[in-house]
């Protein structure tokens, strides 16, 4: 059975249901074309490090997606998401795919990226964490070294 995750960004609550196998495979194909370069930049130091760096990895992946691939990823994930606008006023949930363009317009672009990263982590965290251990450059000899500069 597919799991559902609920999270809040500012005044909106999002409920995303895990994708089925076929939709996951479609996105996995798109993501796998761009994950290798992103993962080669990251050193994994156990599960905690993989968990902490997942957002950074996803950012690297998203930077490498073409506009067409990004649209496919967004459309697929939006189709699996319901949003409750101003949840304190009621529990009416709307399909995010029906109002995506208007919902994330203007000052909500940063919210869109937060939603996208959270949705990708929910659907693909096992793939992203497991892939890092298989890639060259993620070897044990680099453990303890920082994977990227910190601000």
């Amino acid at each position: 059975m597919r799991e559902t995750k609920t999270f809040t960004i500012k005044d909106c609550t999002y409920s995303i249901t895990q994708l089925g196998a076929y939709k996951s495979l479609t996105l996995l194909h798109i993501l796998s074309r761009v994950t290798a370069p992103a993962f080669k930049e990251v050193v994994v130091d156990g599960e905690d490090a993989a968990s902490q760096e997942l957002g950074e990895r996803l950012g690297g992946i998203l930077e490498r997606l073409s506009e067409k691939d990004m649209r496919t990823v967004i459309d697929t994930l939006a189709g699996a998401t319901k949003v409750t606008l101003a949840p304190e006023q009621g529990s009416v949930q709307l399909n995010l795919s029906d109002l995506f363009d208007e919902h994330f317009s203007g000052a909500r672009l940063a919210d869109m990226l937060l939603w996208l990263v959270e949705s990708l982590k929910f659907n693909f965290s096992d793939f992203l964490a497991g892939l890092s251990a298989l890639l060259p450059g993620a070897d044990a000899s680099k453990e303890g070294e920082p994977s990227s500069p910190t601000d």
Side-chain angles (χ1 to χ4, degrees), residues 52-67:
Q52 292 171 355
E53 295 173 357
L54 190 53
E56 292 177 25
R57 293 180 204 163
L58 288 170
I61 291 166
L62 294 174
E63 288 174 355
R64 292 170 173 84
L65 286 176
S66 69
E67 184 177 346

Side-chain angles (χ1 to χ4, degrees), residues 5 7-10 12-17 19 27 58 62 70-83 95-97 100 103-104 108-123:
K5 178 178 183 174
F7 55 96
T8 300
I9 300 172
K10 293 185 182 167
C12 296
T13 300
Y14 301 89
S15 295
I16 183 161
T17 301
L19 300 173
L27 294 190
L58 288 170
L62 294 174
M70 177 70 89
R71 179 66 189 257
T72 299
V73 169
I74 286 173
D75 287 348
T76 302
L77 293 170
T81 303
K82 295 196 180 293
V83 60
N95 293 323
L96 183 57
S97 57
F100 187 89
H103 179 67
F104 286 123
R108 287 194 173 266
L109 291 176
D111 295 349
M112 178 186 63
L113 292 176
L114 292 172
W115 163 80
L116 182 57
V117 168
E118 194 64 34
S119 299
L120 285 170
K121 286 193 317 189
F122 179 59
N123 277 282

Side-chain angles (χ1 to χ4, degrees), residues 3-149:
E3 293 180 27
T4 299
K5 178 178 183 174
T6 301
F7 55 96
T8 300
I9 300 172
K10 293 185 182 167
D11 61 343
C12 296
T13 300
Y14 301 89
S15 295
I16 183 161
T17 301
Q18 286 178 323
L19 300 173
Y22 287 118
K23 287 186 179 182
S24 291
L25 282 173
T26 299
L27 294 190
L28 192 59
H29 175 73
I30 290 169
L31 294 172
S32 66
R33 292 193 320 245
V34 296
T35 52
F39 276 83
K40 286 181 182 177
E41 298 169 4
V42 177
V43 177
V44 176
D45 185 18
E47 289 182 18
D48 290 335
S51 154
Q52 292 171 355
E53 295 173 357
L54 190 53
E56 292 177 25
R57 293 180 204 163
L58 288 170
I61 291 166
L62 294 174
E63 288 174 355
R64 292 170 173 84
L65 286 176
S66 69
E67 184 177 346
K68 179 182 175 188
D69 287 344
M70 177 70 89
R71 179 66 189 257
T72 299
V73 169
I74 286 173
D75 287 348
T76 302
L77 293 170
T81 303
K82 295 196 180 293
V83 60
T84 304
L85 307 172
E88 66 280 352
Q89 296 177 4
S91 60
V92 176
Q93 290 188 330
L94 305 169
N95 293 323
L96 183 57
S97 57
D98 293 341
L99 56 116
F100 187 89
D101 195 40
E102 191 63 32
H103 179 67
F104 286 123
S105 63
R108 287 194 173 266
L109 291 176
D111 295 349
M112 178 186 63
L113 292 176
L114 292 172
W115 163 80
L116 182 57
V117 168
E118 194 64 34
S119 299
L120 285 170
K121 286 193 317 189
F122 179 59
N123 277 282
F124 296 102
S125 61
D126 62 336
F127 162 74
L128 296 170
L131 181 63
S132 64
L134 300 174
L135 291 173
D139 57 58
S141 66
K142 294 184 179 179
E143 285 185 1
E145 293 178 19
S147 59
S148 62

